Amino acid sequence: MADTQVLNAEQAKGEIHEPLTPFGMSVLLGRIAHEWETRRRIFDLPIARFFNVSEGPDISIDFLGRRAATPVGPAAGPHSQMAQNIVLAWLGGSRLMELKTVQILDDLEIGRPCIDMETIGYNIEWSQELKIPQSLEEYVKAWMILDILRRWEEMTPYIGADPGPHIFDLSVGYDLAGISSAPVARFIDSMMDARQEIERLRPEIGGVFAGYRDLDFDPRIADTVTLSTFHGCPPDEIESITKHLITRHGLDVIVKLNPTLLGFERVCGIVHDTLGYESTVLRKADFDNDLQFPRALELIGELEAFAARRGRRFGIKLTNTLVVENTKGFMPDDTMYLSGPPLHVVSTTLLGELHKALPGMLRIDGQDDAPAQVSFSAGITKDNLAAAAGLGLAPITVCSDLLKPGGFGRIKPMLKSLWNSMSAAGAGSLAEWRQHQNEQASGRGAVAAYAARLHDPALNRMYTLAGNTKLPRAVDHDLQMWGCVACNFCVTVCPNDAFFRIPTPDELDADGLQQYLVLAELCNECGNCMVFCPENGDPAVIKPRLYIDEYRFEAETEQAFLIHQDPDGYWVQPNAAGAKWTGDLLLLLNGAEGFPLPPSDEEWTKSKTNSD
Ligand SMILES: Cc1cc2nc3c(=O)[nH]c(=O)nc-3n(C[C@H](O)[C@H](O)[C@H](O)COP(=O)(O)O)c2cc1C
Ligand code: SF4
Ligand code: SF4
């Protein structure tokens, strides 16, 4: 039995406690087929949000010598942890998946709620919430499913005949001991040669996808890595880890830097004075403990040269989140991590400073042959993606914006807005778009010109406190099991696609055209749906919590339902707290759209949580 099967079995039996229990390969494929047949959606994403790369100018990028058909993707975070998240990101138009950070400590207790996107962005998450072998399996499943979907003729009208190349970029953290440990080394090795995992999962390809069972899946899933340094990682450690990843694994490496690198005074000046977030508490000690600017310049130069001597590529990523004191109290912990609009200004200013201090080093600002790639994630939205791509930043990854209503469906409008800007400038490729941006900067350099705009009070409102005070919509009504405003936000803001909706059948005595339900094994209680639900209460707790795994179900004390399936339909086993809703639930699950998992018992139970 493979590691992951043992783990999932232990987890399912309650012997280890994880917040998430991923669905197996056959369940995921069955869900895709069933949702497609019954509602023309995949993992709740409607076809109107599928991206077709062939409908506009060439926006492909070079990433460390590999091609990706678009410059965009999910940043390491909640959108790149589970297989269905990655598939959703790809359908929306992502072609560079920065996978959720994997580290040796894979049994961390994360406080809940852990995400607060009420206005800008805060979180207290860090690395993966799965065991290392489970993370491996999630990434391999996603890789295989994408290979199937890109060939599935049903998709062609919506994603085009050739959706173009995509890249999975590893993310690892946070110290050398952990990264060189046997479990993490095995994880990296397996991502670079996934033959064993692929062969283990292959027999689960069935149903309408049976014809793809013998597909020649590329076993090299990833050979690049973004090193997440997190706060307080000493410079020597960053150096040793990068060298280790290059020499031991032969990886091309991007080092993700922290915004503290800009220095305490500069960051306070931007956050408090330029942008007006006066109540955001920055602590000098957090800056003093992090990598300092002069040492960063040395490191970038040394590591680029080290990589080049070994025939490898090197780059930097701007930036990780900004460490601040937790003054909101919505999430536990004394510290929280800021992302979104203000981070965009801090990180772009840092980009400008590094660029000035490292002439000829960074591949931005028209220096297309410079040695060091610059990847970027900080407050990217549809309003600034085009500007960021015009600077030469690649890839451009997103986290906070995808946690807002619309979720993965926000990627397509971002890419369309990039296309529109390019078309208006007559640019047929990103190279031409970069050239256009440089010409517009009239000798000043596109990066400096853009950074100056972000500091101009007449132009930077969308990054300021004043531009980010609007709270999510609220109605004075207590959320109930059935009936609600039916805004669909819980479905779209959930990075794990744990929420789904079913049209209300005539026989059900409930308000609203749609009813909302939770696939409880996919919910890690991050709190994001609670923040955006207009009604009072937590949808992830109040709406019906459905399980397909009996051990997870048995551990539940609040209302919960175990869903069984047989060829005649679904049946429901409630716990004591859920008993009174069983009849209503049966009506919903057996309706025309019904439960999104397929009613074909055999394949499904065989690997419902990969535990057998
Ligand atoms: C909820 C959440 C979880 C995150 N998890 C990780 C992680 O595991 N590893 C990592 O390197 N960065 C992580 N990040 C940081 C993001 O990758 C990204 O660098 C940062 O949020 C800035 O981008 P944004 O402004 O688009 O959110 C996380 C961010 C958020 C909001
Ligand atoms: S259902 Fe809500 S709490 Fe659960 S993972 Fe999704 S957004 Fe987070
Ligand atoms: S539960 Fe809340 S967020 Fe979900 S659809 Fe109903 S009102 Fe909207």
Side-chain angles (χ1 to χ4, degrees):
M1 204 186 250
D3 284 358
T4 183
Q5 291 172 300
V6 175
L7 278 169
N8 287 341
E10 286 172 354
Q11 183 179 337
K13 289 183 181 120
E15 288 162 15
I16 56 172
H17 300 280
E18 295 301 312
L20 296 168
T21 308
F23 287 164
M25 181 76 161
S26 65
V27 177
L28 291 169
L29 287 172
R31 181 174 173 185
I32 291 172
H34 188 60
E35 268 190 58
W36 188 252
E37 193 186 315
T38 55
R39 58 205 91 179
R40 280 290 184 270
R41 295 197 292 266
I42 293 184
F43 297 133
D44 289 300
L45 192 73
I47 44 179
R49 296 291 168 163
F50 290 16
F51 183 73
N52 184 342
V53 77
S54 66
E55 287 175 349
D58 175 11
I59 47 172
S60 65
I61 55 159
D62 174 275
F63 176 65
L64 301 169
R66 295 116 179 116
R67 292 306 291 172
T70 77
V72 169
H79 301 98
S80 56
Q81 170 156 239
M82 300 180 83
Q84 73 272 15
N85 318 13
I86 299 167
V87 172
L88 278 162
W90 180 82
L91 287 168
S94 300
R95 292 296 181 267
L96 187 300
M97 320 293 172
E98 191 188 270
L99 302 171
K100 179 77 175 164
T101 305
V102 166
Q103 67 149 328
I104 184 67
L105 301 176
D106 61 0
D107 52 2
L108 291 170
E109 284 282 328
I110 308 277
R112 311 287 169 185
C114 54
I115 300 180
D116 174 6
M117 292 289 148
E118 186 185 40
T119 52
I120 52 168
Y122 298 104
N123 80 93
I124 54 168
E125 271 191 22
W126 46 332
S127 48
Q128 90 279 7
E129 294 175 86
L130 299 169
K131 295 284 173 193
I132 296 173
Q134 289 178 309
S135 289
L136 171 67
E137 183 177 311
E138 288 309 290
Y139 303 154
V140 178
K141 283 187 300 202
W143 182 256
M144 294 170 74
I145 292 173
L146 295 193
D147 222 357
I148 292 172
L149 287 184
R150 60 185 296 127
R151 290 173 166 79
W152 193 29
E153 59 282 1
E154 296 274 337
M155 290 290 97
T156 312
Y158 311 103
I159 61 169
D162 179 9
H166 58 263
I167 295 170
F168 279 22
D169 179 38
L170 294 171
S171 170
V172 295
Y174 291 103
D175 61 11
L176 181 61
I179 288 173
S180 50
S181 67
V184 178
R186 205 163 41 234
F187 164 76
I188 298 173
D189 288 342
S190 304
M191 286 294 285
M192 297 181 76
D193 182 355
R195 260 173 293 189
Q196 217 181 324
E197 280 290 305
I198 289 170
E199 293 317 317
R200 190 173 66 74
L201 294 167
R202 191 186 290 283
E204 291 193 42
I205 303 171
V208 298
F209 300 113
Y212 301 106
R213 191 174 282 163
D214 296 326
L215 214 62
D216 188 17
F217 297 101
D218 183 354
R220 200 167 174 84
I221 295 182
D223 48 18
T224 64
V225 65
T226 295
L227 169 63
S228 192
T229 56
F230 217 61
H231 292 279
C233 186
D236 294 349
E237 193 81 2
I238 298 175
E239 182 179 350
S240 319
I241 299 171
T242 306
K243 290 180 173 172
H244 166 81
L245 292 167
I246 290 171
T247 48
R248 157 70 176 82
H249 293 286
L251 289 159
D252 289 348
V253 182
I254 298 273
V255 174
K256 187 173 185 180
L257 298 166
N258 292 323
T260 46
L261 191 54
L262 192 56
F264 182 64
E265 278 75 25
R266 284 295 293 283
V267 175
C268 286
I270 294 173
V271 173
H272 297 152
D273 307 333
T274 310
L275 302 177
Y277 298 91
E278 284 169 11
S279 57
T280 299
V281 179
L282 296 152
R283 296 172 303 212
K284 185 151 188 319
D286 292 325
F287 287 70
D288 293 344
N289 291 338
D290 250 354
L291 177 65
Q292 303 297 305
F293 196 80
R295 181 73 179 107
L297 300 183
E298 280 171 18
L299 260 186
I300 293 169
E302 281 167 26
L303 291 175
E304 193 288 314
F306 182 89
R309 282 199 299 276
R310 282 156 186 80
R312 299 263 59 95
R313 294 179 169 89
F314 173 80
I316 58 169
K317 171 160 192 178
L318 301 178
T319 62
N320 215 324
T321 41
L322 175 65
V323 56
V324 300
E325 190 171 306
N326 184 353
T327 47
K328 283 191 82 182
F330 172 72
M331 299 179 290
D333 299 357
D334 297 335
T335 296
M336 57 184 184
Y337 299 94
L338 178 155
S339 57
L343 189 66
H344 187 76
V345 183
V346 173
S347 302
T348 308
T349 311
L350 175 59
L351 175 73
E353 293 302 321
L354 287 170
H355 185 37
K356 257 193 285 176
L358 290 167
M361 173 62 82
L362 305 181
R363 198 178 308 160
I364 49 175
D365 232 357
Q367 298 180 163
D368 286 1
D369 296 326
Q373 180 112 26
V374 185
S375 159
F376 191 84
S377 70
I380 289 294
T381 65
K382 83 173 176 15
D383 295 319
N384 58 26
L385 173 68
L391 303 181
L393 299 167
I396 299 168
T397 55
V398 193
C399 185
S400 298
D401 195 64
L402 303 186
L403 289 164
K404 300 278 167 93
F408 291 98
R410 295 169 75 95
I411 302 169
K412 181 174 179 177
M414 277 182 206
L415 290 167
K416 286 209 144 188
S417 152
L418 171 60
W419 269 346
N420 291 342
S421 302
M422 290 171 63
S423 300
S429 68
L430 281 181
E432 288 174 22
W433 173 238
R434 290 194 294 271
Q435 197 185 341
H436 174 266
Q437 292 287 87
N438 275 322
E439 283 160 15
Q440 295 292 305
S442 41
R444 186 180 188 190
V447 172
Y450 183 58
R453 263 167 44 209
L454 295 177
H455 284 257
D456 183 341
L459 301 172
N460 69 0
R461 188 179 156 81
M462 71 179 179
Y463 302 101
T464 63
L465 176 70
N468 287 284
T469 48
K470 195 166 167 232
L471 298 176
R473 179 181 160 215
V475 296
D476 187 16
H477 186 261
D478 291 342
L479 191 66
Q480 308 290 328
M481 171 84 76
W482 305 131
C484 62
V485 169
C487 61
N488 209 41
F489 287 174
C490 49
V491 176
T492 60
V493 303
C494 177
N496 296 339
D497 189 34
F499 254 100
F500 68 98
R501 67 173 196 264
I502 302 183
T504 312
D506 294 341
E507 307 88 312
L508 183 68
D509 181 19
D511 289 339
L513 290 175
Q514 306 279 340
Q515 302 303 321
Y516 291 83
L517 306 94
V518 193
L519 293 164
E521 282 112 337
L522 306 182
C523 170
N524 63 353
E525 291 160 25
C526 73
N528 205 34
C529 54
M530 176 167 58
V531 167
F532 286 101
C533 179
E535 303 210 6
N536 306 320
D538 184 351
V541 174
I542 296 170
K543 292 297 180 187
R545 292 178 62 79
L546 313 184
Y547 287 88
I548 60 171
D549 183 281
E550 62 190 288
Y551 298 102
R552 287 283 313 261
F553 166 72
E554 278 163 12
E556 181 69 86
T557 51
E558 304 294 331
Q559 52 84 9
F561 307 86
L562 182 64
I563 311 301
H564 301 262
Q565 307 184 51
D566 62 38
D568 298 328
Y570 304 96
W571 55 279
V572 169
Q573 180 186 334
N575 64 4
K580 66 178 173 178
W581 287 289
T582 310
D584 294 344
L585 195 53
L586 273 170
L587 277 177
L588 277 165
L589 298 185
N590 286 309
E593 281 197 10
F595 193 50
L597 303 190
S600 73
D601 51 347
E602 197 198 325
E603 284 294 307
W604 186 70
T605 24
K606 201 164 58 193
S607 73
K608 57 186 176 186
T609 56
N610 272 335
S611 57
D612 302 347

